[in-house]
Amino acid sequence: IFDQLLREHPRDVLIARRLAQAIVYNDQRVGLCTEPLDLLIRRFPDDVELDCLYAVALIRENRPIEAGQQLDLARRKGFDPAVVI
């Protein structure tokens, strides 16, 4: 449902965040989480919450170094990842 809402409201970062959460926290998801999230962080490059959710997706794909880099990026932007994760 969030992907449809984002198509209808392509500049709404709140919808993008909910879509990212739905992807990342869906334990029954088959396939990579990072691919759809990559599109979201490209669309909203300044959104630190999406950076953090992308880090969670990287961890789920056993990519801890890249996840750490994403979290460092969020910190450099002045955000505490613990707020999201």
Side-chain angles (χ1 to χ4, degrees):
I1 189 165
F2 292 114
D3 54 347
Q4 176 62 36
L5 285 171
L6 193 58
R7 280 193 290 276
E8 294 171 9
H9 306 280
R11 306 307 304 158
D12 192 327
V13 71
L14 295 176
I15 295 172
R17 289 175 188 164
R18 297 308 163 260
L19 175 58
Q21 289 171 337
I23 292 167
V24 169
Y25 297 120
N26 180 355
D27 290 333
Q28 298 186 18
R29 180 176 176 77
V30 176
L32 300 176
C33 294
T34 53
E35 289 178 0
L37 265 65
D38 186 53
L39 298 173
L40 294 175
I41 63 171
R42 288 176 192 265
R43 185 184 294 187
F44 302 100
D46 297 323
D47 191 79
V48 291
E49 289 190 40
L50 287 176
D51 289 334
C52 295
L53 290 167
Y54 190 67
V56 173
L58 288 165
I59 287 292
R60 290 183 61 125
E61 293 176 11
N62 199 28
R63 297 164 61 185
I65 293 172
E66 294 167 89
Q69 292 168 338
Q70 280 300 122
L71 295 175
D72 287 342
L73 175 64
R75 287 184 192 101
R76 284 194 305 274
K77 292 178 181 179
F79 189 77
D80 179 8
V83 172
V84 175
I85 299 175

